[in-house]
Amino acid sequence: MEELQHIDPKHLSLLTSEQAHTFRVIPAYVNGQKIEVFGDESAVQKSAQLHLLLGKKIHIREVPTETLNRYLISYYPFEGHKAESLQQSNMAEESDIVRFVNKVFGEAADMQASDIHIERYELQARIRFRWEGQLVEKYEVPLAQYNAIISRIKIMAELDISERRMPQDGRIHLNLHENRIDVRVSSVPAQYGEKIVMRLLTRSKAHLQLSNIGLASKEEKMYQAAIQKPNGIILITGPTGSGKTTTLYATLNLLNRPEKNILTIEDPIEYNLAGINQIQLKEDIGLSFDIALRAFLRQDPDIIMLGEIRDATTAQMAIRAALTGHLVFSTLHTNSSWDAITRLTDMGVEAYLLAASIRAVVAQRLIRTLCPYCKKRSEEVLFLDLQWELSIHEHHIPIGCPECFYTGYKGRRAVFEILPITKTLSQMIKTGEGDIHAYMKENELSSLSDNLRLLVDHGEVSLEEAMVHLEG
């Protein structure tokens, strides 16, 4: 291992001491967009995260752990070679804890991460960012400093730092890079210590317009027609993380006019909307969806937004509100627009009430798009199952480059399925008879499958990514 003795010191500055010990590597050589590093077996497992950090392709020259430890201490002498041995780290000082937490927030904002996870296990603690829908490990945290980091965040969120046995929720308001960011903080007691998850909410997203959330021209016209009706229910469906709340806020922004009284019931309130009265549920004191909705109906509302229809009671009250002259928006967790009808029927809502009250159902997904700088056309013929009857002859695959942190994907976009409820569909709801797929085809309504297939054909989305969302 004599080659480790000839590392060029100028490359050492690529990593801080903390990062070198976290990723278990020593930079050795830089060649254009590639960095060669010495690392042990654990470094190989973290190579993807190192790509994200340095923005270059990483080639790891594996060396024995004991050898790496010796040279790590030599080249980066201010920290021990294991995370749990960093008792002498400057992070032990309160001011350094503050700087480190601020650094985490800043890096999350720069990456446009949606969430920060801080979690402790028996032998390690780590910080992960959710970026483009995927969790990416960013830091291995010294166990000796874990509680200090948790306490700092709880102080910022105005939580009780002495309470470690019960879940707590709070908020932090940050100004980063001239952007106002609201951070929703959730703390829960886990086996080896508190786990904190923070959702980053950029204020600019609270002013989203319906025209820029990804609706195609025809879809936007259908949706606009539905939401301009004076009463009824509009349902937004899809799995967790599919962008339902973003669609709801963009809709409310459009409908928010001085002559309208708009009330929302949310759990939690993600964005503060000027001119709209928002209520945060508080189940611990008895402020539930049904109680809040009953109160809303005495507040002379024009438009009501329920964060989610969770049970039969909420569903029945939403139907009642719609039938008494209110426009109601809410969400459901279903895979397709028509599945929402089935779900509400299963909850015990009478079919004739659904037929009379529902105005439109929107199904959506939030899907990763291919990096335009490195995607590659593949002409491999793939035969798909019943979802797409035809074979795919040309599609694009993810490769990876510095622009996309070597993931092959850059950005996400929403994909929609809009189903306006017509007289024909109302009759199908009441009778339970009819073929929804045939109806959509006859009326030239694009399904999620159709729109995903189109994105694959245009080279915007990989076939693998499309099939994952089609199945989900």
Side-chain angles (χ1 to χ4, degrees):
M1 297 299 168
E2 291 299 319
E3 54 189 350
L4 267 73
Q5 299 178 15
H6 303 292
I7 293 173
D8 191 336
K10 70 180 181 183
H11 299 315
L12 297 178
S13 61
L14 289 170
L15 295 173
T16 65
S17 181
E18 176 189 340
Q19 291 166 343
H21 287 277
T22 295
F23 289 101
R24 308 283 300 149
V25 295
I26 301 173
Y29 180 70
V30 178
N31 182 15
Q33 294 300 316
K34 183 174 76 172
I35 300 177
E36 288 193 8
V37 299
F38 291 108
D40 61 8
E41 185 179 356
S42 66
V44 176
Q45 300 171 0
K46 300 176 181 180
S47 60
Q49 286 73 43
L50 197 56
H51 290 329
L52 288 172
L53 178 67
L54 298 178
K56 295 180 182 292
K57 189 174 182 179
I58 304 298
H59 178 258
I60 296 177
R61 296 162 68 174
E62 195 168 337
V63 297
T65 296
E66 58 273 17
T67 302
L68 182 70
N69 287 341
R70 187 166 65 255
Y71 283 95
L72 269 175
I73 295 172
S74 174
Y75 287 114
Y76 295 99
F78 300 110
E79 301 184 56
H81 65 274
K82 290 186 178 180
E84 56 265 39
S85 71
L86 301 180
Q87 304 290 343
Q88 305 303 317
S89 169
N90 287 338
M91 276 181 54
E93 299 295 331
E94 182 179 351
S95 60
D96 292 302
I97 294 292
V98 171
R99 282 196 293 271
F100 177 72
V101 170
N102 291 343
K103 178 183 177 184
V104 169
F105 282 128
E107 291 186 353
D110 288 341
M111 286 180 62
Q112 296 185 324
S114 61
D115 301 86
I116 302 172
H117 289 238
I118 305 178
E119 50 210 354
R120 177 171 180 166
Y121 302 97
E122 183 178 8
L123 300 176
Q124 69 169 142
R126 64 181 179 180
I127 295 176
R128 295 186 292 171
F129 292 171
R130 187 171 294 281
W131 179 75
E132 306 290 21
Q134 306 292 314
L135 278 172
V136 176
E137 186 170 333
K138 193 67 176 172
Y139 289 102
E140 186 173 330
V141 176
L143 290 180
Q145 278 73 54
Y146 185 81
N147 288 338
I149 293 170
I150 294 295
S151 295
R152 170 59 185 165
I153 291 170
K154 291 175 74 173
I155 289 171
M156 294 175 71
E158 298 182 355
L159 300 179
D160 183 356
I161 63 172
S162 65
E163 177 56 79
R164 298 182 179 181
R165 300 169 299 171
M166 294 293 292
Q168 295 187 73
D169 295 303
R171 278 184 178 266
I172 300 172
H173 304 292
L174 301 173
N175 288 303
L176 295 172
H177 313 308
E178 300 182 354
N179 287 325
R180 177 70 181 273
I181 296 177
D182 291 337
V183 182
R184 197 176 72 215
V185 181
S186 172
S187 169
V188 297
Q191 183 178 7
Y192 296 105
E194 290 176 275
K195 171 181 171 65
I196 280 185
V197 175
M198 296 179 283
R199 169 66 56 88
L200 276 62
L201 306 167
T202 305
R203 280 293 181 91
S204 59
K205 290 185 178 179
H207 303 290
L208 277 173
Q209 301 302 311
L210 204 59
S211 58
N212 61 18
I213 64 171
L215 285 166
S217 177
K218 181 181 177 181
E219 293 171 338
E220 186 177 346
K221 287 179 182 177
M222 289 191 294
Y223 186 62
Q224 286 264 20
I227 67 175
Q228 297 298 336
K229 295 183 183 297
N231 55 59
I233 295 181
I234 310 290
L235 290 173
I236 313 295
T237 74
T240 300
S242 58
K244 300 187 296 294
T245 301
T246 297
T247 299
L248 283 175
Y249 280 135
T251 303
L252 294 181
N253 278 332
L254 179 68
L255 298 175
N256 187 12
R257 298 190 294 271
E259 66 270 19
K260 296 292 184 182
N261 180 22
I262 303 176
L263 305 172
T264 75
I265 308 171
E266 304 174 62
D267 185 23
I269 295 173
E270 294 205 7
Y271 300 106
N272 296 318
L273 302 175
I276 293 177
N277 298 284
Q278 299 170 267
I279 288 184
Q280 166 72 55
L281 287 190
K282 297 179 181 178
E283 299 279 0
D284 55 332
I285 63 171
L287 181 56
S288 59
F289 264 114
D290 55 329
I291 289 176
L293 186 51
R294 286 193 187 96
F296 270 17
L297 295 178
R298 297 190 292 270
Q299 290 283 315
D300 187 31
D302 297 295
I303 299 170
I304 297 172
M305 190 269 272
L306 305 176
E308 181 184 352
I309 293 181
R310 298 180 174 181
D311 50 38
T313 302
T314 310
Q316 295 283 3
M317 294 198 66
I319 295 288
R320 189 183 312 160
L323 292 175
T324 53
H326 306 94
L327 185 60
V328 180
F329 293 90
S330 193
T331 69
L332 273 176
H333 293 277
T334 63
N335 287 333
S336 71
S337 52
W338 192 250
D339 283 347
I341 306 299
T342 305
R343 176 68 57 83
L344 290 171
T345 303
D346 291 343
M347 285 183 179
V349 179
E350 296 288 347
Y352 75 92
L353 292 176
L354 288 176
S357 60
I358 293 187
R359 299 291 177 258
V361 186
V362 178
Q364 68 179 82
R365 300 288 189 275
L366 200 55
I367 186 166
R368 292 186 298 170
T369 52
L370 285 164
C371 174
Y373 299 98
C374 65
K375 65 182 179 181
K376 180 182 178 182
R377 176 178 292 179
S378 172
E379 296 187 1
E380 178 187 4
V381 178
L382 299 175
F383 295 94
L384 306 179
D385 57 11
L386 297 178
Q387 295 283 11
W388 286 338
E389 297 172 354
L390 302 177
S391 62
I392 301 290
H393 289 272
E394 288 188 7
H395 59 102
H396 289 73
I397 58 176
I399 299 298
C401 70
E403 292 290 336
C404 61
F405 301 111
Y406 295 92
T407 63
Y409 296 94
K410 191 174 180 66
R412 292 191 290 173
R413 63 160 296 162
V415 184
F416 296 90
E417 175 182 291
I418 311 289
L419 185 63
I421 304 302
T422 61
K423 290 182 179 179
T424 301
L425 285 181
S426 291
Q427 187 63 25
M428 286 174 59
I429 294 171
K430 282 191 282 189
T431 63
E433 299 176 355
D435 186 339
I436 185 61
H437 300 292
Y439 172 86
M440 292 182 71
K441 196 169 184 178
E442 290 170 8
N443 289 272
E444 299 181 340
L445 296 173
S446 297
S447 66
L448 278 171
S449 176
D450 295 331
N451 289 330
L452 285 168
R453 172 65 183 266
L454 194 62
L455 291 173
V456 170
D457 288 343
H458 289 171
E460 294 183 49
V461 170
S462 72
L463 186 58
E464 179 185 19
E465 183 80 358
M467 293 304 292
V468 166
H469 286 273
L470 194 59
E471 293 167 358

